[in-house]
Amino acid sequence: MTTDLRSAASVLRSARHVCVLTGAGISAESGIPTFRDALTGLWSRFKPEELATLEAFERNPQFVWEWYESRRAKVLQTQPNPGHYALAELAGRVPEFTLVTQNVDGLHQRAGSPGVLEYHGNILRDRCMVEQVVAGRAPEAAGRLPRCAGCGGLLRPDVVWFGEAIPAEPMRAADRAANDCDVFLSIGTSSLVYPAAGLAETALRHGATVIEVNPNATDLSPLADVTLRGPAGVLLPQLLEAML
Ligand code: APR
């Protein structure tokens, strides 16, 4: 066991409130491509900014829906990996635990994590463009755009697009947790996309111990108290084991 793993385990053992932020890296071992990797095949000719914006959707909803349906289908074929399961277990091992994810794949929830704060929404849900609430689908006519079962309005994926605000409730709750926690774990995120990346900075300002789990260095690495270099699916189960 490395010294870093031992010291991270010891920090977690005596933690009062652990706040975790996850990014695309934690789902990599489940086979979910990161945002940019998702632009494969037919989609590789486009930039994310040309597909994941309200303007793109309003211009060509059929086209944007096709991309989201192909990503949804991939997500539904995947399973949580040992990293997701380790975090679900960690929640029961510390007095207070908050899990914030930038991922839209729902894998933390499927692994059994309670109260996940979805910072960027969830690709498996639809939202009504008219009522602006999560909505069910009206029976679909083949080849037609999905419509709201309640009001018949056009549906969109319930994800945060470029230029859109983070949903108020997860944003408030994540901010509260980053201010209150004494240990902050940053897992599988490049720490480049704000406001999510700002949560670690908030925690640091309030004196929390910051632990990073990532095979690669990020902008957060020099500021972190402990850096665990390697895949989350391997390191997180080892970390839990080391806590015993
Ligand atoms: N375990 C842990 N980390 C990993 C693994 C792994 N097995 N594989 C890759 N990583 C790390 C990479 O080194 C990288 O730092 O995961 C990080 C993924 O970075 P990004 O693709 O930038 O993902 P993320 O930080 O979640 O992006 C934030 O940007 O594109 C938008 O809205 C999208 O939510 C996304 C946001």
Side-chain angles (χ1 to χ4, degrees):
M1 194 187 299
T2 68
T3 319
D4 283 346
L5 198 67
R6 245 194 292 267
S7 51
S10 131
V11 165
L12 284 171
R13 255 198 311 267
S14 51
R16 173 184 54 81
H17 180 179
V18 176
C19 178
V20 182
L21 174 68
T22 64
I26 195 159
S27 294
E29 289 152 89
S30 290
I32 298 192
T34 61
F35 199 72
R36 269 152 225 288
D37 290 343
L39 295 168
T40 50
L42 169 68
W43 305 105
S44 58
R45 291 183 288 126
F46 304 95
K47 295 199 187 94
E49 294 82 352
E50 290 170 28
L51 292 162
T53 66
L54 183 61
E55 294 71 33
F57 186 73
E58 283 175 345
R59 210 170 30 241
N60 195 342
Q62 186 82 45
F63 183 66
V64 172
W65 259 123
E66 277 169 26
W67 183 52
Y68 276 96
E69 293 292 9
S70 78
R71 290 180 61 203
R72 266 186 191 186
K74 280 199 192 105
V75 163
L76 287 170
Q77 285 162 12
T78 60
Q79 299 299 328
N81 67 57
H84 296 106
Y85 287 114
L87 287 181
E89 192 181 329
L90 183 59
R93 290 225 210 151
V94 293
E96 196 173 350
F97 185 84
T98 306
L99 175 54
V100 186
T101 188
Q102 298 165 87
N103 300 341
V104 295
D105 54 35
L107 286 180
H108 285 302
Q109 292 88 330
R110 281 169 62 195
S113 279
V116 180
L117 299 176
E118 293 175 327
Y119 219 69
H120 291 161
N122 190 315
I123 198 169
L124 301 174
R125 284 194 305 259
D126 297 325
R127 179 162 21 118
C128 176
M129 295 280 286
V130 177
E131 300 164 292
Q132 287 304 329
V133 292
V134 171
R137 289 187 176 197
E140 251 167 84
R144 299 274 297 279
L145 288 168
R147 297 255 161 208
C148 173
C151 76
L154 186 58
L155 292 175
R156 58 167 279 181
D158 189 28
V159 297
V160 176
W161 280 329
F162 286 99
E164 292 188 323
I166 307 300
E169 192 35 47
M171 175 127 170
R172 253 197 309 270
D175 217 50
R176 254 197 319 263
N179 275 287
D180 178 67
C181 68
D182 56 343
V183 180
F184 188 94
L185 263 170
S186 175
I187 304 170
T189 174
S190 53
S191 297
L192 287 174
V193 177
Y194 283 78
L199 294 171
E201 293 164 9
T202 301
L204 277 167
R205 263 200 311 279
H206 285 261
T209 302
V210 173
I211 301 168
E212 181 179 58
V213 180
N214 198 313
N216 301 303
T218 72
D219 286 357
L220 180 65
S221 305
L223 306 173
D225 297 282
V226 185
T227 45
L228 301 177
R229 287 272 163 266
V234 173
L235 288 177
L236 291 176
Q238 286 179 1
L239 188 56
L240 256 76
E241 180 76 26
M243 280 176 74
L244 294 173

